[in-house]
Amino acid sequence: FTGTIVGIGCVESGFMFHTSPGLKDFMDPDMPGLLLYLQYLSQLEGPMWKKIRKNSYGYNVVPRPNEGLIVFTLYRATNIYEAFKDAKTIIEAQLEENSEFDDTLMESAKSSLIFEIIEREKTVGDLVQQAMLNSFKGVSKDYNKYLVDQVAAVTVKDLRRVGSQYLSTMFKPGAAKAVIVCHPDKVESINKQFEEFGHNLK
């Protein structure tokens, strides 16, 4: 099996938690590039936003180095199959050698990602929380400043390299795992649909 599907009667929408291998160290030099690549894809008005939202109220894709994973989530999806299919198509198209990175979207992704990192330390309470998190992560107290500087320096060449290395296995059944929660009436049909992606859900 490559995952699990669960039917819950009180749930009308679909929810998905999809994981694949990723970075295992917060200080990995590829971290800034991977964060920016995922921000580029998932940002407001970005490639995913334009297509996935018609089938899923929300989505997210983030690295989790403490678990060595990249996690893609869909929540409150009206059509979880189509939303997942769109995400797969978008990411695989961006990984192609002749794919382009839109300059406007790239600047927007850098700006929004840097803003998100800075926002982590907007109050004294936030600083205390970040200090504890940095300790757990095994990074310095200036980690967020380091991350901002590194994100600002990421190039398209960097993105192509990290995309090829970490996102190329994102939808390979042998490497990826999935958990889906939906209404019991939809379990059988969704399970059948996801066989198309090589997922054999228990």
Side-chain angles (χ1 to χ4, degrees):
F1 295 102
T2 60
T4 304
I5 184 166
V6 181
I8 299 180
C10 62
V11 172
E12 289 298 327
S13 304
F15 298 81
M16 182 178 200
F17 196 80
H18 183 273
T19 66
S20 57
L23 295 173
K24 297 180 180 180
D25 185 348
F26 285 93
M27 288 301 295
D28 192 300
D30 287 340
M31 174 62 83
L34 182 59
L35 285 172
L36 185 59
Y37 202 118
L38 297 179
Q39 186 82 355
Y40 177 89
L41 292 170
S42 62
Q43 68 181 314
L44 187 68
E45 299 290 346
M48 286 184 158
W49 189 89
K50 291 177 179 178
K51 294 198 73 173
I52 294 178
R53 286 181 73 251
K54 65 185 177 185
N55 291 306
S56 182
Y57 180 81
Y59 64 90
N60 197 20
V61 54
V62 293
R64 290 205 178 157
N66 54 311
E67 299 172 62
L69 298 172
I70 293 173
V71 179
F72 171 64
T73 56
L74 292 170
Y75 49 97
R76 292 174 63 186
T78 54
N79 189 329
I80 202 162
Y81 164 76
E82 289 294 339
F84 183 80
K85 185 178 179 181
D86 283 340
K88 183 175 183 293
T89 300
I90 290 164
I91 291 173
E92 289 180 346
Q94 192 64 54
L95 289 172
E96 292 178 2
E97 285 186 19
N98 59 349
S99 65
E100 297 292 330
F101 283 88
D102 181 272
D103 290 340
T104 302
L105 287 178
M106 176 64 78
E107 288 306 311
S108 172
K110 276 192 178 184
S111 299
S112 59
L113 179 56
I114 289 172
F115 176 78
E116 287 175 15
I117 296 169
I118 293 172
E119 274 282 285
R120 298 173 186 173
E121 299 184 353
K122 64 181 178 180
T123 68
V124 173
D126 292 336
L127 281 170
V128 173
Q129 184 182 48
Q130 286 299 307
M132 288 190 295
L133 288 173
N134 288 344
S135 177
F136 287 125
K137 292 175 181 177
V139 299
S140 74
K141 60 183 177 61
D142 297 323
Y143 179 68
N144 287 334
K145 181 182 182 303
Y146 158 81
L147 210 52
V148 165
D149 292 339
Q150 294 301 306
V151 167
V154 172
T155 65
V156 169
K157 183 179 179 181
D158 295 329
L159 294 184
R160 293 194 187 283
R161 179 176 51 77
V162 298
S164 175
Q165 186 168 348
Y166 299 104
L167 300 185
S168 59
T169 60
M170 193 168 175
F171 298 103
K172 289 186 178 179
K177 306 288 183 184
V179 175
I180 296 174
V181 176
C182 62
H183 191 276
D185 292 344
K186 297 180 180 178
V187 167
E188 189 174 338
S189 61
I190 290 176
N191 196 11
K192 188 71 176 174
Q193 288 174 325
F194 271 78
E195 288 178 3
E196 174 186 324
F197 307 117
H199 278 302
N200 179 18
L201 303 176
K202 184 176 180 181

